[in-house]
Amino acid sequence: MPRHIKIFDTTLRDGEQAPGCSMNPEEKLEVALQLERLGVDIIEAGFPISSKGDFDSVAEIASKVKDSQICGLARAVEADIDAAWQAIKSAVAPRIHVFIATSPIHMEYKLKMKPDEVLARAADMTAYARKYCPDVEFSAEDAMRSEPEFLARVVDAAIRAGATTINIPDTVGYTTTGEMRAMIEYLRHRTSADDRVIFSVHCHNDLGCAVANSLAGVQGGASQVECTVNGIGERAGNTALEEFVMALRVRSQLYDADSRIDTQQIWRTSKLVYHITGQSAPLNKAIVGQNTFSHEAGIHQHGMLASRETYEIFTPETVGKTPDRMVLGKHSGRHAFEERLSELGFELTSEQVDEYFEKFKEICDKKKTVNDRDLEALISAKNVAGVYELDRFDVHAGNYTSPTCVIRLKRDGKIYEEVSLGDGPIDAAYNAIDKIMKLPPHRLENYSIRSTSEGKDTLGEVLVKISCDGEVYNGRGLSTDIIESSILAYLHAANKFVSLT
Ligand code: KIV
Ligand code: ZN
């Protein structure tokens, strides 16, 4: 029986902290419910003391998710721990995660605390959290640049104070596989940890080693691995959940360990997080890149025809990637539409199916066939509810005229109309939207467009990133008309700013 490795997902905390990855409460709940479906053991839902919005969102997730534990992060101070507990206390299985840094550089420059003070604080605050919650995780921030003997003393103090999980973060992505394995082995033997204490690793990817270091942690005896979907996170990100989980599953005999993740939910989960964060997978991204299962070279294709195993170590179906099928078109009914969505893993209410079916029919008027990639884009390109919606637009552009756009938006039943010039039709449209929405000074950080499938009648999918008040907001828009998708993407991002502030 392989050892069970717990998957602790921090997409909604460490992942969401990354520039451009902020999510609104509705999106966070959607991600949390998908993580529950994926079979994640623990969801770190946020950092409740950091803002009222984060507190409310953690509390909402705690009350709705039933099959995963819900964790709230806290610095080693009472106010943080109080807030974390208040936010997670309604969860079926709550966990408080207390952290303090233990490396010389962090203690001296960030905390401005002496090692003995850090040691005492770690023990006191772990004990304080235990008064609220039977499940407390203690993390030694920047553990892999800490002095091992001191780290062992802090870990031991946290265990004696009641920590049930000890997490060893490689906060700056500095360590190597050998060091990580040795550190976990060392701490397991140098502390009073018994079999009930779980060791965990939390790796960052600054040198591209996060997944490898997490696997090394497992070899050293860690039974929990912390990761994020698509590896999102500050700087180069965190251990990518899908990569770690598949490495463990494919080589479970070697590691004599496995997770309880339903790998068939991986594709869907990854797409959801990419869509919400306004990103898309690099074509050659491990596990979820579009090219992961493409075989171009003749010799590979020949081998694949003889036996898939010649060049594939797991099938697309294992990670929930269904074969593309051109089944839908203008004659397809609501039933066929709903069935295909459910085959693709989308669980929608009847009202949502009605709403998307309307949009699907509009697309069918302009496009002969709709394939799975179009459908996935359609479902994920929804706008933020309750703010500005596009009513209509009119653009004038050419190489001899000044591009102009008249735009009309709706908000709570009220109509707003503006006209503006620009360097091009899209710039003109964005200027007109700015006039209506009166955004504070902001910058368009990124604009990209791609087709969702082949053919001239394909859908144009636009991704934008705008920065405003020091935060970055992503938007996505989809239409057969690229000016309309550009407007929808910009509105999506701007609406996030309005709804989050
Ligand atoms: O990277 C890190 O050290 C963290 C801790 C808060 C666990 O994210
Ligand atoms: Zn981290």
Side-chain angles (χ1 to χ4, degrees), residues 134-186:
D135 188 330
V136 172
E137 170 167 331
F138 172 78
S139 279
E141 191 187 8
D142 206 14
M144 295 309 291
R145 290 194 302 169
S146 303
E147 205 272 299
E149 234 180 85
F150 174 66
L151 179 63
R153 283 174 59 213
V154 175
V155 164
D156 197 48
I159 293 170
R160 290 178 193 278
T164 43
T165 298
I166 295 294
N167 183 40
I168 302 302
D170 180 25
T171 304
V172 290
Y174 174 76
T175 205
T176 65
T177 51
E179 285 172 351
M180 181 54 100
R181 181 178 180 159
M183 182 65 96
I184 301 296
E185 282 169 350
Y186 169 79

Side-chain angles (χ1 to χ4, degrees), residues 395-405 420-425 428:
V395 283
H396 261 265
N399 55 353
Y400 279 95
T401 52
S402 299
T404 321
C405 179
S420 194
L421 293 169
D423 295 333

Side-chain angles (χ1 to χ4, degrees), residues 23 26 34 58 78-79 88 93 137 175 193 231 241 281 283 293 341 346 359 379 399 428 436 447 488-489:
M23 305 176 203
E26 191 193 326
Q34 180 56 28
V58 174
E78 290 185 0
I88 60 166
E137 170 167 331
T175 205
L241 179 147
L283 290 178
F293 302 103
L341 287 181
F346 292 106
K359 290 190 189 154
I379 301 299
N399 55 353
I436 296 174
Y447 170 97
L488 291 173

Side-chain angles (χ1 to χ4, degrees), residues 194-488:
D194 60 20
D195 288 349
R196 284 167 300 179
V197 175
I198 300 261
F199 277 87
S200 164
V201 289
H202 172 114
C203 299
H204 280 264
N205 204 31
D206 298 65
L207 295 174
C209 298
V211 173
N213 287 338
S214 302
L215 290 163
V218 168
Q219 288 181 309
S223 296
Q224 174 179 290
V225 168
E226 305 201 349
C227 39
T228 61
V229 176
N230 302 330
I232 64 168
E234 300 224 54
R235 308 182 311 277
N238 291 52
T239 298
L241 179 147
E242 62 286 353
E243 295 179 18
F244 173 78
V245 163
M246 285 310 293
L248 197 62
R249 179 69 44 94
V250 170
R251 304 303 310 273
S252 66
Q253 282 195 342
L254 175 85
Y255 293 107
D256 193 20
D258 203 351
S259 70
R260 71 168 183 108
I261 293 293
D262 174 2
T263 61
Q264 291 185 354
Q265 290 289 335
I266 283 181
W267 196 263
R268 162 94 204 275
T269 312
S270 162
K271 281 268 151 52
L272 177 70
V273 172
Y274 274 130
H275 290 154
I276 287 179
T277 55
Q279 302 171 355
S280 52
L283 290 178
N284 64 345
K285 161 87 174 66
I287 319 297
V288 292
Q290 202 57 45
N291 285 356
T292 310
F293 302 103
S294 308
H295 303 276
E296 203 65 33
I299 193 165
H300 288 203
Q301 288 173 348
H302 181 75
M304 282 289 291
L305 287 174
S307 161
R308 284 178 82 153
E309 281 159 36
T310 49
Y311 286 101
E312 255 178 30
I313 54 171
F314 57 92
T315 63
E317 292 77 18
T318 318
V319 293
K321 182 180 190 304
T322 51
D324 250 1
R325 292 197 328 215
M326 292 267 204
V327 284
L328 300 179
K330 76 194 274 177
H331 299 297
S332 307
R334 186 188 178 288
H335 185 66
F337 175 74
E338 186 174 11
E339 206 167 273
R340 189 65 197 137
L341 287 181
S342 119
E343 281 166 11
L344 288 173
F346 292 106
E347 286 173 23
L348 302 173
T349 62
S350 177
E351 292 76 43
Q352 285 171 320
V353 175
D354 288 343
E355 190 190 318
Y356 288 120
F357 188 60
E358 284 290 306
K359 290 190 189 154
F360 164 73
K361 283 287 171 189
E362 282 168 27
I363 290 172
C364 289
D365 284 338
K366 300 175 188 158
K367 193 176 183 313
K368 270 200 221 105
T369 51
V370 176
N371 68 19
D372 292 343
R373 274 181 285 152
D374 297 327
L375 280 182
E376 283 173 354
L378 170 74
I379 301 299
S380 55
K382 56 178 182 244
N383 221 336
V384 184
V387 271
Y388 292 91
E389 276 174 54
L390 176 63
D391 186 38
R392 59 171 73 161
F393 70 94
D394 191 354
V395 283
H396 261 265
N399 55 353
Y400 279 95
T401 52
S402 299
T404 321
C405 179
V406 182
I407 209 147
R408 199 200 268 192
L409 304 182
K410 260 197 310 205
R411 182 182 187 175
D412 298 333
K414 215 172 144 199
I415 297 287
Y416 300 82
E417 190 169 293
E418 276 294 350
V419 59
S420 194
L421 293 169
D423 295 333
I426 294 169
D427 188 42
Y430 287 5
N431 290 338
I433 293 175
D434 286 351
K435 282 192 189 171
I436 296 174
M437 294 180 75
K438 298 187 179 62
L439 299 180
H442 58 282
R443 252 169 71 89
L444 180 64
E445 300 287 348
N446 195 30
Y447 170 97
S448 65
I449 182 160
R450 68 173 191 112
S451 57
T452 55
S453 51
E454 300 75 28
K456 285 213 286 193
D457 65 352
T458 180
L459 294 167
E461 186 179 31
V462 171
L463 302 178
V464 300
K465 255 187 209 323
I466 55 176
S467 62
C468 200
D469 275 354
E471 288 287 340
V472 182
Y473 303 90
N474 303 295
R476 170 182 297 264
L478 186 76
S479 169
T480 48
D481 176 330
I482 59 167
I483 306 227
E484 182 169 3
S485 35
S486 302
I487 292 174
L488 291 173

